[in-house]
Structure formats: structure tokens, C-alpha cells
Amino acid sequence: MNKKLILLSIGFAMLCVACNNSKEEVATFDFNNTCWFDSYEFFVGSRDTITNNPDLFIFQGGTLHEGGSTFALLQVATDTFVINTYPGNGWTSVGVVGDTAVLQHIGEKTIIVCHNSEDNEADTLWMYDPGDKGPMKAYEDLLIQTRIAALAGTYYDSIKKETYQFIDTTLVRTNAKGVADTQTFHFFYSFEMPSNLLQLSNKEQFWYEITPTGMDLFNAQYWSEEDDYLRQYRFAQLKRL
């Protein structure tokens, strides 16, 4: 073999190695020990070590109250997967079995979007970094942040002419005469999960529900048998400003 042909052969071999390495780099996202949040539950991902399927990634999680939530993703392309059940389970906690899930990178965020032709509101999971807190505590913080974000804003009670302004964990309530009352609040935990009951620093409490136009407020009654609160009658309908 002449010198020129040898050099070409070596060059081709090096190119093949580079292409294979590049393909391997982009084809496999490392789901091991990654944490995911769907606004209600959390999941921790790993490779399948149950059936030893290298293309199957499994996820286990739950809520602050209970675990047992699972799903799996079978990789069919670089960032494309088919939703499966966790090995041995007959259900999936995310999406619909057989539907497509896509891994996306938006800026610094990484998400999994589940696509279903019959459901425009696709399930979406956001990857989060638990840091030193661990998956469960970091998930709890995300739950609270999600609730605070949903509350944030200014609302108006047209009957009592009162304004409610939610700023982080502070509620500023201003009456018709312009007198403002500022209270901090926290969420009451029902079955270890933050509920829709707000407990204010002045010992006041009420149940809230977000509506398409604003927020409804309800009285709540303590239920000693379950150490919980029951929603009672609505006392205000607030419009988001």
C-alpha cells in the first residue's frame, strides 16, 4: 500500500472514531440521579437496572405525603422517547403509555414534554437541582414557590371595595378608605402537603381558590378528627387587576 493511501486510511479511521464519539455524546442524556418536578409530584431518574434495557430510563417519586409514583421513558432518538410503565407496574404517573416525550433545553432549563394528540395541556416536567437539601426538601421548596407564584398579584373585591395584594409571603389588604393592613402568611399543611388554606400572622385564616378571572375566598372550619380544615361558604370574589 502506498504512503498516500495509508495516510488516507488513517485519516478515515480517525474521522470514524470522532463521529462515533460525537454521536455517543449527544445520543445519551444522563438521567441518573436527576430530579424532576411537574408542579405537583417529584421524580428521580435512573437507568433501567431491572430488565437491563439500556434504552429505558425509569423514574420514581411521589409527594410529601406518599411515594409510589413512577413512569419510564424508552429512547427512540437523540431527544425523543416513548412513555412506558415502570417495569412491573401497570400504570404510568406521567403522560399516556405509547405517547411521545421530548427532552428540551430552554436556556439553562431542561424539560420533558409529553405530547398527546387528544390533550393540548401536555404533561411537562422540569429538571431541578436539589443541591445539599436533597430531592425531597428541594421539592417542598418548589411546591411553595409554585403556590406563591400563582397567588402573586393584586386583586379587587368590588363589594367591599377592598384590595388584596400578594407579595411573596405577605398580604397587604387595603380597605375603601385607603387604610392598609399588612400580614405575613403561610400555607397550612394537609396530609403533609401545602394546602389552599392561608394562615395569617394575625391568626386569621381563609381558604382560597384561583379562578379564571381572579380568586374566590372561603371561610374554613377546623376538623379536629383529621387535624385539617374544611372549606365553608364563600365570602368574597376577587378580580385580578
Side-chain angles (χ1 to χ4, degrees):
M1 186 181 293
N2 61 43
K3 186 176 181 181
K4 185 175 181 181
L5 187 56
I6 292 173
L7 290 174
L8 285 172
S9 298
I10 293 173
F12 179 73
M14 291 177 67
L15 181 62
C16 287
V17 171
C19 287
N20 287 335
N21 287 342
S22 175
K23 182 180 178 182
E24 186 177 344
E25 249 178 44
V26 298
T28 304
F29 179 84
D30 188 5
F31 284 103
N32 285 327
N33 298 316
T34 54
C35 298
W36 303 84
F37 176 60
D38 70 353
S39 296
Y40 181 70
E41 295 183 299
F42 81 99
F43 300 89
V44 179
S46 64
R47 269 195 181 280
D48 174 30
T49 57
I50 300 173
T51 62
N52 294 317
N53 183 347
D55 295 323
L56 187 69
F57 301 95
I58 57 180
F59 300 81
Q60 302 177 75
T63 66
L64 295 172
H65 179 60
E66 60 184 355
S69 296
T70 62
F71 72 100
L73 296 177
L74 180 66
Q75 188 168 26
V76 294
T78 301
D79 293 324
T80 306
F81 306 82
V82 174
I83 300 172
N84 275 240
T85 59
Y86 183 90
N89 284 358
W91 71 91
T92 175
S93 299
V94 172
V96 178
V97 174
D99 282 351
T100 300
V102 178
L103 184 72
Q104 297 180 6
H105 304 281
I106 304 174
E108 297 180 354
K109 296 179 179 179
T110 300
I111 65 175
I112 297 172
V113 180
C114 305
H115 295 282
N116 187 312
S117 59
E118 298 180 359
D119 185 1
N120 293 327
E121 297 182 3
D123 288 340
T124 301
L125 295 98
W126 299 79
M127 189 171 75
Y128 69 91
D129 180 7
D132 296 331
K133 297 178 179 179
M136 185 75 81
K137 178 56 182 173
Y139 153 72
E140 181 179 4
D141 291 345
L142 284 171
L143 275 177
I144 297 298
Q145 291 169 17
T146 300
R147 284 192 170 276
I148 290 174
L151 276 173
T154 302
Y155 304 81
Y156 184 63
D157 182 346
S158 60
I159 303 298
K160 294 184 178 180
K161 310 300 181 185
E162 289 185 334
T163 300
Y164 290 70
Q165 187 175 19
F166 290 89
I167 308 169
D168 195 21
T169 55
T170 300
L171 168 62
V172 182
R173 188 164 39 192
T174 306
N175 64 24
K177 297 180 180 180
V179 179
D181 175 40
T182 301
Q183 300 287 335
T184 58
F185 68 84
H186 65 273
F187 299 95
F188 176 79
Y189 276 61
S190 175
F191 296 99
E192 292 83 47
M193 293 286 286
S195 71
N196 283 46
L197 186 89
L198 295 185
Q199 295 184 310
L200 278 58
S201 54
N202 66 353
K203 308 304 180 183
E204 182 185 357
Q205 55 205 15
F206 57 81
W207 186 279
Y208 76 93
E209 287 187 1
I210 302 296
T211 68
T213 58
M215 182 189 307
D216 288 349
L217 303 181
F218 302 80
N219 281 335
Q221 182 178 356
Y222 182 65
W223 185 20
S224 59
E225 292 180 13
E226 293 289 341
D227 187 25
D228 204 352
Y229 283 86
L230 299 177
R231 192 190 76 174
Q232 298 294 299
Y233 63 88
R234 183 176 61 198
F235 67 84
Q237 286 182 286
L238 310 181
K239 182 178 181 181
R240 183 184 287 271
L241 299 180

